[in-house]
Amino acid sequence: MYVSKQKHMHNEHTDEHFQFRIDNGEYIEPRDYMPEAYRKNLIRQISQHAHSEVIGMQPEGNWITRAPSLRSKQILLAKIQDEGGHGLYLYSAAETLGVSRTEMIEQLHAGKAKYSNIFNYPSLNWADIGAIGWLVDGAAIVNQVSLQRTSYGPYSRAMVRICKEESFHQRQGYEIMATMMKGTKDQQAMAQDAMNRWWWPALMMFGPHDTDSPHSKDAMKWKIKRETNDELRQKFIDKTIPQAELIGLTVPDKDLKWNEAAKKYDHGEINWEEFYSVIKGDGPCNKQRLSHHIKYHEDGVWVREAAEAHKLKTNLSVV
Ligand code: FAQ
């Protein structure tokens, strides 16, 4: 053992030494040696994650002005601001890998970078805000708790901060659903309808089955991912079903049943055709989400110019 460690210590700029560090449970930092494919895979995943946080502000932003009370409006505003902050941590983490935020935004606008499938569905009424917080943030937490131990230091540290805020988000949504389920028949029907529409897309957030996930093999080897798509999806299902039952919601899956031997829920088939069509750009709201982002990015040119001018002025006055 000692001999092999010595050997690796002399060859720090090799893929072999890199893998040795990963297997040893070390974190990789921006200036450390890393294989080009590791860097590329991380830029892809972190930038898509950042875009998801920011695009994810839109379906909820739609309901700020129509929140049913001052309290619920304040909470929703705080939650949406958090999502913006999460996007910033993540863009900054990706920048440490040598890509600029401008480039990442250009890739998003050109349709070359993805963002989560889930944000291409419409938020039709207040119950949807409950379903987004409970199911979408609930799924995001399961994934992100696991990513706190991802092998890239800046990504891992961003995840630790983000997870602290996500658990408040999940409770915000669950509280809305629980309140509606204690309400009138119409309110209960609205909550159930939102559950029916968001359940399956939330399961798709974990990505394709492991057997159909092209990036998983390397991502697991490099510990970018600590658990696979299917493992995380199963965790989310097992944790969420008792929560639905507690407030009287029915999970819209006729094949769902408890598997006593495996101590987990077996679930029905996910509609992968829908998933691939949504991530290719043909979901109900893809065009709306992107054009909204492009419009406000262009409207914000003057802010970025003013910040640059201020920086220049400050630098000059220092000289
Ligand atoms: N949506 O080989 P894999 C949130 C793509 S944050 C769209 O399995 P990977 C907070 C994938 O990119 C939600 N595309 O890929 C919030 C790849 O295509 P590519 C975001 C997807 O990366 C709440 C292809 O399919 N969270 O919600 C999706 O190893 C409320 C093959 O897939 C993260 O991004 C999908 N769901 O595993 C904010 C977590 N799944 O790139 C506001 C970090 C797969 O080759 C309001 N990301 N694809 O063109 C991850 O953990 C991973 O990237 C996975 C996918 C697990 C999402």
Side-chain angles (χ1 to χ4, degrees), residues 275-294:
F275 170 77
Y276 287 112
S277 140
V278 169
I279 70 170
K280 264 197 261 137
D282 295 326
C285 299
N286 296 59
K287 289 180 186 64
Q288 180 187 332
R289 300 286 184 243
L290 259 195
S291 60
H292 183 93
H293 194 281
I294 292 170

Side-chain angles (χ1 to χ4, degrees), residues 48-79:
Q48 295 190 4
H49 195 166
H51 299 324
S52 302
E53 297 281 355
V54 173
I55 296 277
M57 296 164 80
Q58 292 185 36
E60 295 178 309
N62 190 27
W63 281 89
I64 295 172
T65 54
R66 287 170 287 169
S69 68
L70 181 58
R71 178 180 178 273
S72 56
K73 189 193 286 257
Q74 282 175 319
I75 296 174
L76 185 60
L77 265 174
K79 175 184 191 293

Side-chain angles (χ1 to χ4, degrees), residues 44-45 48-49 52-53 56-57 60 79 83 114-117 119 132 136-137 140 143-144 147 155 166 204-208 213-216 225 229 275 279:
R44 181 193 63 81
Q45 177 167 324
Q48 295 190 4
H49 195 166
S52 302
E53 297 281 355
M57 296 164 80
E60 295 178 309
K79 175 184 191 293
E83 315 294 3
K114 294 190 168 69
Y115 56 87
S116 183
N117 67 300
F119 302 118
I132 292 174
V136 175
D137 284 277
N143 171 281
Q144 293 175 160
L147 285 174
Y155 192 22
E166 292 288 15
M204 295 172 197
M205 284 176 70
F206 296 94
S213 159
H215 299 296
S216 277
K225 283 178 171 177
N229 297 2
F275 170 77
I279 70 170

Side-chain angles (χ1 to χ4, degrees), residues 89-114:
Y89 304 156
L90 288 163
Y91 284 126
S92 301
E95 281 185 317
T96 64
L97 290 157
V99 60
S100 73
R101 198 154 128 200
T102 309
E103 284 171 83
M104 290 185 267
I105 303 281
E106 276 168 10
Q107 285 169 0
L108 172 71
H109 289 176
K112 288 185 194 147
K114 294 190 168 69

